[in-house]
Amino acid sequence: MKVKDFIMERVRAKHTMHMTLIDPAKQSYAQAAEIASCAERLGTDAIMVGGSTDVTQENLDSTVLAIKKVAKVPVIYFPSGAHAIARFADAIYFMTMLNSRNRKNIIGEQVMAAPIIAKLGIETISMGYMIVEPGMKVGEVGEADLIKRDDAATAVAYGLAAQFLGMDIIYFEAGSGAPEPVTAKMIASVKSKVRIPMIIGGGIRTPEQARMVRKAGADVIVTGTIVENGDYMARLESLIEAVKG
Ligand code: 1GP
């Protein structure tokens, strides 16, 4: 089954999904595999691999291969540019940072990557990616024209634009390590007006926050930082439980 169909099936069945983000530059390959296998045991639905800086073809390939040896859930590449393409991943988010001020993040890197992806034959899932305040590192390197935390109308407008452009999915990102997630009001407003599935990520660390994001209407909840510091098992377990309701 294609990864996109797997996601759409869950979304249609109203099962909020959890995805674990692993940055290939932040741990050894063995540790990445350990995180993925632990997350899978605890019920994560997919592993996303990516990071805003320091991703190389080498650390990306080695991380994806190490994860694929131990995990059965899909491994999805979450790219930051065309400089590295995860040829061993099950799918790649073919994404555009719709609120970047820099054309290269909207369509430039994508034009460079497309022929390589076509040649490799990797499944693509098209995604409209929007950065919300505070945006953190990805907002900075992506040169994002940040959506204000209290500006739900602009978030809805971006979501509708992505839907009308024919994208599969939208992702509202507060930035990895953000002090707080995107607000419930913003998520609920988008949910009420936009029909394509919505991913929410950035700053989700506690079961309470995960519950808030799920109840507001997220279809997929992404966490990354929570698995970055050693002893994460109990924290991840209660967070995934909250995502699943
Ligand atoms: C980053 O949204 C993800 O793209 C994960 O954010 O690291 O804050 O969980 P955190």
Side-chain angles (χ1 to χ4, degrees), residues 96-101 106 127-132 143-148 151-167 169-173 186 189-190 193-198:
T96 167
M97 190 188 285
L98 289 174
N99 63 334
S100 177
R101 289 184 303 274
I106 305 168
M127 179 205 280
Y129 186 52
M130 278 71 65
I131 315 295
V132 179
E143 295 168 69
D145 192 5
L146 300 174
I147 300 175
K148 296 208 176 331
D151 189 358
T154 296
V156 170
Y158 271 107
L160 286 172
Q163 178 183 312
F164 296 157
L165 283 164
M167 288 173 183
I169 202 156
I170 44 175
Y171 188 148
F172 288 96
E173 167 78 86
M186 183 177 284
S189 302
V190 173
K193 297 273 193 291
V194 180
R195 284 196 311 273
I196 55 176
M198 171 172 43

